[in-house]
């Protein structure tokens, strides 16, 4: 039985080892919001995956804080629940704000697994494979030369697929240069909604590069336009931003708007929703992979558990801690072996220890919420 006595929020400032640039902007430092849920002195932890600005979706660090405090926490505190899977339904009346809800929901899943002494990956029905295949997402660089060097280094580190961020002005010519240098690698691109259907002829040029898929070329909220574009492309479309709930996955699949889905815990509101999307895609023969939001260790560990479900057959964006941080907030840090795989951890819950002194040192805003 789950009954959360206390929810503690922590806001951390954590500089990235190197800037990360997408079509909607450059990030040099993350604001990481952690959620600790406490029951009888035992803690479960979640990490909110929202960005520092409402540019990926409508959420951002400070909207999360308010939504959790005013709406999500009051609906959970003092309630008795059979299972972590029931947390999502408590905040159903809140429209949108999936990342706020997901930060809390994933913390309760971690708590439940710890209370049962079970690894989180086992708790969610994962463990389909002992290690998960990893790719990297490489941001827009200052020069094509920088990009080629970065790709070379990531391939040497063992990563199994390379995803390039693209935008108008950093797309076809860049792809041509990359393919010339690396003709055989598993390659994908992600536009984060930088194009419209007016760019159809331009986008059709990606067909010559043998990409595994092109991620979210069109508007963040438009499944129908993606269906129109998919009909005119040989390259598979992978949806990210558009898929916020199982219903969106079902609709996108039915409309032929994508042939691949990127699942992110925060974007879909937590594990229950992520598992349902995974299952719907699996039933339709659509492969999925686990996306990333530049997470610190807790979010990264949750992603590792998720990516162990059977239909996560494509390498995802979950990679080693050291690509992001000089010192992560968990121990050991997430590492990737020479074959580009991350081993599932053995411990209970998300399976890594927290570096609590480091978390305390990094956090500059804290609040405890009680029933
Ligand atoms: O669209 O997948 C995306 C990072 C921030 C916001 C959106 C996205 C990304 C990434 C990075 O691609 C994935 C990662 O390395 O965590
Ligand atoms: Mg994406």
């Amino acid at each position: 039985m789950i009954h959360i006595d206390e929810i503690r929020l922590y806001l951390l400032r954590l500089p990235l080892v190197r800037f990360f640039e997408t079509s909607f902007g450059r990030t040099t430092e993350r604001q990481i919001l952690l959620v600790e849920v406490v029951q009888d002195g035992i803690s479960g932890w979640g990490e909110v995956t929202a960005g520092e600005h409402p540019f990926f979706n409508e959420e951002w660090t400070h909207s999360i804080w308010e939504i959790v405090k005013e709406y999500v926490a009051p609906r959970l505190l003092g309630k008795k629940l059979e299972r972590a899977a029931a947390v999502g339904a408590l905040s159903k009346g809140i429209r949108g704000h999936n990342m706020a809800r997901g930060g809390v929901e994933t913390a309760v899943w971690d708590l439940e697994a710890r209370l049962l002494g079970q690894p989180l990956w086992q708790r969610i029905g994962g463990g389909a494979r002992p290690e998960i295949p990893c790719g990297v997402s490489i941001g827009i660089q200052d020069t094509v030369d920088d990009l080629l060097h970065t790709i070379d280094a990531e391939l040497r580190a063992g990563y199994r697929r390379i995803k390039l961020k693209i935008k108008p002005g950093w797309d076809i010519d860049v792809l041509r240069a990359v393919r010339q240098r690396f003709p055989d690698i598993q390659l994908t691109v992600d536009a984060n909604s930088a194009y419209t259907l007016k760019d159809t002829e331009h986008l059709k040029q990606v067909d010559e590069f043998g990409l595994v898929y092109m991620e979210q070329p069109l508007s963040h909220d438009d499944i129908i336009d993606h269906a129109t574009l998919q009909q005119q492309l040989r390259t598979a479309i992978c949806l990210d931003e558009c898929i916020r709930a199982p219903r969106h996955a079902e609709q996108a699949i039915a409309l032929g708007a994508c042939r691949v889905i990127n699942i992110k815990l925060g974007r879909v509101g937590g594990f229950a929703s992520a598992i349902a999307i995974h299952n719907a895609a699996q039933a339709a023969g659509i492969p999925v992979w686990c996306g990333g939001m530049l997470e610190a260790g807790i979010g990264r560990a949750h992603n590792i558990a998720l990516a162990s479900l059977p239909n996560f057959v494509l390498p995802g964006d979950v990679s080693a801690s050291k690509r992001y941080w000089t010192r992560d907030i968990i121990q050991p840090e997430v590492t990737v072996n020479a074959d580009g795989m991350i081993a599932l951890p053995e411990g209970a819950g998300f399976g890594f220890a927290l570096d609590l002194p480091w978390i305390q040192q990094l956090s500059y805003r804290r609040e405890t919420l009680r029933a």
Side-chain angles (χ1 to χ4, degrees):
M1 190 68 95
I2 289 166
H3 59 94
I4 307 299
D5 310 314
E6 223 171 82
I7 299 176
R8 302 181 190 142
L9 302 180
Y10 304 78
L11 185 53
L12 283 55
R13 199 177 278 125
L14 204 53
L16 286 166
V17 168
R18 189 147 184 276
F19 71 85
F20 187 79
E21 186 171 326
T22 68
S23 63
F24 58 78
R26 183 178 283 200
T27 308
T28 54
E29 180 182 88
R30 292 290 336 277
Q31 301 281 326
I32 303 272
L33 206 161
L34 301 180
V35 181
E36 180 183 12
V37 295
V38 187
Q39 168 168 335
D40 301 329
I42 311 253
S43 293
W45 289 79
E47 178 178 328
V48 170
T49 66
E52 293 67 39
H53 305 283
F55 300 158
F56 171 78
N57 63 7
E58 80 285 358
E59 299 185 87
W60 84 103
T61 318
H62 297 284
S63 74
I64 302 282
W65 192 286
E66 296 307 313
I67 291 282
V68 170
K69 183 177 170 179
E70 301 295 333
Y71 295 96
V72 182
R75 283 165 171 75
L76 172 62
L77 287 164
K79 298 270 165 58
K80 284 190 169 28
L81 293 173
E82 291 291 337
R83 299 173 339 113
V87 170
L90 295 176
S91 56
K92 241 184 170 165
I94 303 165
R95 300 219 168 139
H97 300 286
N98 284 354
M99 289 174 169
R101 300 169 61 194
V104 175
E105 200 247 23
T106 52
V108 179
W109 278 90
D110 177 51
L111 173 70
E112 180 182 57
R114 284 174 197 272
L115 290 170
L116 294 166
Q118 234 182 23
L120 180 57
W121 53 261
Q122 201 170 63
R123 189 75 209 128
I124 64 166
R129 52 193 77 80
E131 357 177 81
I132 63 162
C134 308
V136 288
S137 173
I138 301 179
I140 292 162
Q141 305 293 312
D142 290 330
T143 68
V144 172
D145 229 41
D146 286 353
L147 177 63
L148 295 174
H149 278 109
T150 306
I151 295 172
D152 191 54
E154 302 293 14
L155 292 170
R156 284 171 196 275
Y159 288 104
R160 291 170 168 249
R161 80 83 167 98
I162 300 291
K163 161 172 141 183
L164 308 179
K165 290 294 191 180
I166 57 166
K167 66 174 182 181
W170 182 269
D171 51 17
I172 304 302
D173 294 343
V174 173
L175 265 174
R176 190 165 289 120
V178 169
R179 262 306 183 218
Q180 202 162 16
R181 174 82 184 277
F182 305 102
D184 302 319
I185 60 171
Q186 270 202 52
L187 188 64
T188 77
V189 292
D190 184 0
N192 289 109
S193 304
Y195 302 90
T196 71
L197 278 181
K198 291 203 183 91
D199 301 308
T200 299
E201 286 309 308
H202 178 73
L203 290 172
K204 279 161 94 169
Q205 296 176 86
V206 302
D207 280 344
E208 70 179 273
F209 301 111
L211 304 180
V212 186
Y213 51 79
M214 170 161 57
E215 187 176 339
Q216 196 71 37
L218 308 178
S219 179
H220 69 100
D221 60 358
D222 198 327
I223 291 172
I224 294 171
D225 274 2
H226 280 99
T228 305
L229 181 64
Q230 180 67 92
Q231 280 184 352
Q232 300 178 70
L233 286 181
R234 267 189 288 122
T235 305
I237 289 177
C238 169
L239 289 178
D240 175 352
E241 284 89 327
C242 276
I243 309 298
R244 295 157 171 246
R247 172 171 43 88
H248 296 139
E250 285 158 17
Q251 291 172 345
I253 292 167
L255 289 170
C258 64
R259 296 186 200 136
V260 177
I261 293 176
N262 160 346
I263 301 183
K264 290 179 178 169
L265 281 167
R267 195 194 72 221
V268 307
F271 276 109
S273 172
I275 294 164
I277 292 170
H278 163 275
N279 294 347
Q282 187 173 35
I286 299 281
V288 305
W289 54 276
C290 185
M293 293 294 289
L294 312 175
E295 288 92 343
I298 295 172
R300 199 163 293 281
H302 280 115
N303 287 342
I304 292 167
L306 180 67
S308 79
L309 290 170
N311 194 36
F312 281 82
V313 290
L314 297 173
D317 280 349
V318 184
S319 58
S321 299
K322 69 174 181 196
R323 295 188 62 251
Y324 306 83
W325 324 112
T326 47
R327 175 177 169 188
D328 204 339
I329 59 172
I330 57 166
Q331 284 171 345
E333 301 197 333
V334 173
T335 55
V336 171
N337 71 21
D339 295 325
M341 308 291 275
I342 296 176
L344 294 181
E346 279 164 19
F350 61 67
F352 293 79
L354 287 161
D355 188 343
L356 284 171
W358 187 226
I359 290 173
Q360 291 295 340
Q361 204 175 317
L362 292 169
S363 63
Y364 66 96
R365 186 178 174 195
R366 285 169 226 164
E367 190 160 346
T368 298
L369 309 168
R370 294 189 188 88

